[in-house]
Amino acid sequence: MSSSSSSSSPSCPKKMITLKSSDGETFEIEEIAAVQSKTLENMIDENCASTPVPLPNITGKILAKVVEYCTKHAEDGADAESLRAWDAEFVSVDHPTLFDYILAANFLEIPTLLNLACQSVADMIKGKTPDEIHKIFNIKSAFTLEEEEEVRRENQWAFE
């Protein structure tokens, strides 16, 4: 008896896709994981993924994490509870990285990652005042103090 395969089919080698980041790094991802991206799925369907796929909007640092996310979500047998815990850890990053996840997920059309990252941002601002949100995200006001007072007077109901 051969010890070659117990859970995977030996006759079906894993099909790999190569992705190239904006800073020239290349990453290999299994096709089964890559198709979580509607953008990559379309490229595969159109036979446009036989050479490295350039991703000019995504750095190597972020692309590595996107590949990790897609690979984890393509694994067989991952129970929902452990996947939720893994996802929570995945988005426990600094704000710029989280926003880069959102941009990458949007560009690659990965709805599960986009929803996860956006929900993380929503959770950060839930129940916060506009001033607290400005501080969290280092947002400078576009209004002068006089203009801001006028907006607050005109929309007093929103600040109650």
Side-chain angles (χ1 to χ4, degrees):
M1 180 182 241
S2 165
S3 64
S4 64
S5 173
S6 59
S7 65
S8 65
S9 172
S11 61
C12 273
K14 295 176 181 175
K15 185 159 185 205
M16 302 299 285
I17 306 298
T18 303
L19 307 175
K20 188 173 183 179
S21 69
S22 62
D23 48 1
E25 289 187 66
T26 57
F27 299 87
E28 288 211 331
I29 183 172
E30 287 184 50
E31 186 176 304
I32 191 111
V35 296
Q36 291 177 68
S37 160
K38 293 187 185 356
T39 302
L40 295 177
E41 181 180 34
N42 290 338
M43 293 184 81
I44 292 164
D45 290 347
E46 299 292 325
N47 295 319
C48 297
S50 57
T51 59
V53 176
L55 299 171
N57 299 345
I58 306 172
T59 64
K61 173 189 167 197
I62 297 302
L63 187 54
K65 298 301 286 182
V66 170
V67 167
E68 179 185 357
Y69 175 88
C70 289
T71 300
K72 181 70 174 179
H73 280 256
E75 286 178 2
D76 284 335
D79 68 282
E81 177 97 10
S82 65
L83 197 55
R84 269 193 301 278
W86 188 90
D87 283 351
E89 183 72 27
F90 186 81
V91 293
S92 292
V93 293
D94 58 68
H95 296 154
T97 300
L98 187 59
F99 291 127
D100 285 342
Y101 287 173
I102 291 170
L103 294 172
N106 187 54
F107 180 74
L108 289 170
E109 297 179 82
I110 306 171
T112 55
L113 177 55
L114 183 60
N115 291 342
L116 176 67
C118 287
Q119 185 62 57
S120 181
V121 172
D123 292 343
M124 278 183 219
I125 65 175
K126 187 176 183 178
K128 303 282 193 284
T129 66
D131 289 337
E132 290 170 325
I133 295 167
H134 285 152
K135 284 181 185 146
I136 291 170
F137 297 116
N138 199 25
I139 299 169
K140 307 292 184 238
S141 179
F143 298 112
T144 65
L145 290 175
E146 294 80 21
E147 291 170 330
E148 190 171 328
E149 270 306 312
E150 182 180 340
V151 168
R152 286 180 185 271
R153 271 194 312 276
E154 291 173 359
N155 300 287
Q156 191 170 6
W157 59 269
F159 296 97
E160 294 174 350

